[in-house]
Amino acid sequence: MIERLVEIMARLRDPETGCAWDVAQDFASIAPYTIEEAYEVADAIARQDMPDLKDELGDLLLQVVFHARIAEEAGHFALPDVVAAISDKMERRHPHIFGDQTEGGHHLWEQIKAAERADKGAGGALDGVAVGLPALLRAGKLQKRAARTGFDWPDAGGARAKVFEEIAEVEEATSDDHREEEIGDLLFSVVNWARKLGVEPEAALRRANGKFESRFKAMEAEAGDGFEDLDLEGMERLWQKAKTASKS
């Protein structure tokens, strides 16, 4: 079945008879679309929209085939090499399923990943955390890596106290640059607190975005054309009404 998609991409990338836009692309130009499609998959899952999830997974698969085709044309690797590499990795990281070990689990997975990073020359605990990740997601990954070395708060209380410490430092900032730095520290500490509470910050913020969007649209619908003419007190009344309605 996937052979059909591979052939479609090959035809699209044909320099003589293919699509001019597809032919002009490279790894860097396609990367933003790959990230966008991954987020659209996550959005379909959050909405529990299975027909849309099917479509979005197809779009994401197309990105994999696209990158693999570009790599094949440059003589680096082809799609079968990608499939073989991930298959080998999954078997290697599950020796209790595909090997002769009797015990496994997440701790074993992490041990094997650490060994693989060492084999690639990654000497530090934080090496290999992709710089291109969204900042919120990367903060969480950096903190988890650091925690494995023992550099971590013993409980959520220490992380919570750090949040309030960073708030105070934001308020004491004396310049725009200093304020940006301290806001960054505050966001980083909030991610850390969320981790200690067992909350995924990316999912939590996505949920908060959706809640804000829904309530704001309810405010606009309630006020009609006069929404922007309301003062802050009037908007606040509408906000509280929308907030109450969303909880009922």
Side-chain angles (χ1 to χ4, degrees):
M1 188 68 69
I2 197 172
E3 287 80 6
R4 180 184 173 198
L5 183 57
V6 172
E7 176 57 28
I8 288 171
M9 181 52 62
R11 291 187 62 181
L12 289 172
R13 288 280 298 178
D14 188 294
E16 295 183 0
T17 61
C19 170
W21 186 88
D22 290 278
V23 172
Q25 304 311 307
D26 57 22
F27 292 123
S29 66
I30 289 298
Y33 296 99
T34 308
I35 295 170
E36 180 181 338
E37 295 301 348
Y39 275 105
E40 291 184 359
V41 166
D43 178 64
I45 292 171
R47 292 183 284 105
Q48 299 184 2
D49 188 334
M50 293 303 104
D52 196 32
L53 177 58
K54 177 191 68 176
D55 290 342
E56 297 301 344
L57 286 171
D59 291 342
L60 184 58
L61 178 59
L62 175 64
Q63 295 299 307
V64 175
V65 173
F66 207 150
H67 283 288
R69 179 63 193 180
I70 295 172
E72 183 176 4
E73 292 168 358
H76 300 309
F77 56 81
L79 185 63
D81 302 307
V82 175
V83 175
I86 188 59
S87 298
D88 291 344
K89 182 186 294 184
M90 294 304 291
E91 290 179 350
R92 185 170 64 249
R93 292 185 180 178
H94 294 84
H96 57 299
I97 304 297
F98 302 103
D100 54 8
Q101 291 198 28
T102 57
E103 296 183 1
H106 186 69
H107 69 285
L108 182 59
W109 172 279
E110 292 298 340
Q111 289 175 7
I112 295 171
K113 283 180 64 177
E116 291 172 354
R117 288 195 296 270
D119 289 341
K120 291 180 179 180
L126 304 184
D127 290 351
V129 180
V131 176
L133 287 173
L136 199 65
L137 182 59
R138 189 165 192 265
K141 285 186 173 292
L142 289 170
Q143 291 167 8
K144 289 176 183 177
R145 289 278 191 91
R148 291 179 202 144
T149 70
F151 187 67
D152 195 15
W153 298 106
D155 53 45
R160 178 181 182 275
K162 187 65 175 176
V163 170
F164 288 98
E165 177 185 323
E166 296 298 347
I167 290 174
E169 293 184 6
V170 170
E171 293 174 339
E172 295 170 1
T174 56
S175 68
D176 289 344
D177 184 66
H178 187 194
R179 194 169 294 109
E180 178 184 290
E181 179 183 353
E182 297 301 343
I183 287 287
D185 291 345
L186 173 59
L187 292 171
F188 193 84
S189 66
V190 169
V191 170
N192 208 21
W193 188 20
R195 180 180 62 85
K196 298 300 291 185
L197 293 173
V199 173
E200 176 55 51
E202 184 75 22
L205 184 56
R206 190 181 303 118
R207 182 176 181 179
N209 288 341
K211 184 165 58 178
F212 177 84
E213 183 178 21
S214 175
R215 291 175 180 175
F216 192 86
K217 287 182 176 180
M219 292 168 59
E220 291 178 315
E222 178 76 14
D225 294 337
F227 177 70
E228 294 186 6
D229 296 328
L230 292 171
D231 59 15
L232 185 57
E233 183 178 348
M235 288 185 174
E236 177 62 21
R237 282 197 299 270
L238 288 179
W239 174 263
Q240 292 302 325
K241 184 177 181 179
K243 182 178 179 180
T244 301
S246 68
K247 292 181 177 180
S248 60

